[in-house]
Amino acid sequence: RAIQRFLGGFKEGQHVTYDALSQAAIPAAYERTHGVRILPHFKLEEASYLLGVEADFLGTWINPAGFGRAYASRRSADGKRPLSKHVQVESGLSLTGSNADERLRVAPSEAVAFLEHLSAAVERLAGINASGPQRTLEAKLQGRVHDLAEGLWHAKGESLVLCGLNDVHAQIFAARLNRALGNEGRTLDLANPGLQKQGDDAALQALIKEMGEGQVDALLLLDANPAYEMPPSLGFEKALATVPLRLSLGR
């Protein structure tokens, strides 16, 4: 509210947020599929079948402390709740992958195609009339796609697909999977979204472009160090030099 009140005094004031480790593709995907830009609340404690695709949710992804507690609640043989099944799809071994029941190695170049084929297979089981996959997938992975689709469908409403790729297409397929599986409102909470990862990569790139074109008269940085955190290829540091007034407010 304080930021918006401050910006209200300027005709073209804008508030741009970024994350050093971006997951902006998730809210961008939900904006396309659901018409609202949100980061869903992933309820691992409610999932009896968990599929992670390049999502190291026990190590580095979004909220590992919270995810770890929720995950552990379904992985203890104390008899209180049925044990969950966890399948991890990733290219390199992660902390999360080392704890999975099954781990499937998929090259980074194949991850989006894998999700597309899996989404198409689950949507067929759900009776959803959708177009077939446009991307090709290696034959050796086709059988695994079928097995995963059957496993997820058997646990529909109690399954959860997590995707850690910062790729809008990958996140759209993950969102379609969770919708087709009936996970929304159960293992995937859209009514009470998470407040982490509020960054918007598109807005950030637009800001850098405007800075470089001399359209930004003043830039205030609040608890942020983009010149250090952003890759040089974005050109932030060069664009920053063109801004007449630069003010950094840090702790």
Side-chain angles (χ1 to χ4, degrees), residues 57 60-69 196-197:
F57 57 84
T60 60
W61 190 63
I62 299 181
N63 180 23
F67 289 152
R69 288 192 298 271
Q196 306 99 331
K197 300 295 183 181

Side-chain angles (χ1 to χ4, degrees), residues 90-123:
E90 57 187 12
S91 55
L93 180 62
S94 68
L95 176 62
T96 303
S98 68
N99 283 275
D101 298 308
E102 297 179 23
R103 181 175 174 270
L104 176 61
R105 290 182 62 191
V106 174
S109 59
E110 295 179 308
V112 178
F114 182 87
L115 279 165
E116 183 181 18
H117 281 253
L118 181 60
S119 175
V122 170
E123 287 176 339

Side-chain angles (χ1 to χ4, degrees), residues 2 24-25 30 32-33 53 64 76 88 93 95-96 101 132 151 153 156 181 190 201-203 213 215 232-233 247:
Y30 275 88
R32 293 193 191 183
T33 58
V53 180
S76 174
Q88 188 75 2
L93 180 62
L95 176 62
T96 303
D101 298 308
W153 183 248
K156 58 183 182 292
L181 290 164
L190 303 179
D201 291 349
E213 294 173 349
Q215 300 180 34
S233 58
L247 177 60

Side-chain angles (χ1 to χ4, degrees), residues 204-227:
L204 174 63
Q205 291 170 4
L207 171 64
I208 295 173
K209 182 175 183 293
E210 291 176 1
M211 289 165 55
E213 294 173 349
Q215 300 180 34
V216 178
D217 295 323
L219 182 69
L220 276 65
L221 301 172
L222 177 61
D223 288 333
N225 189 359

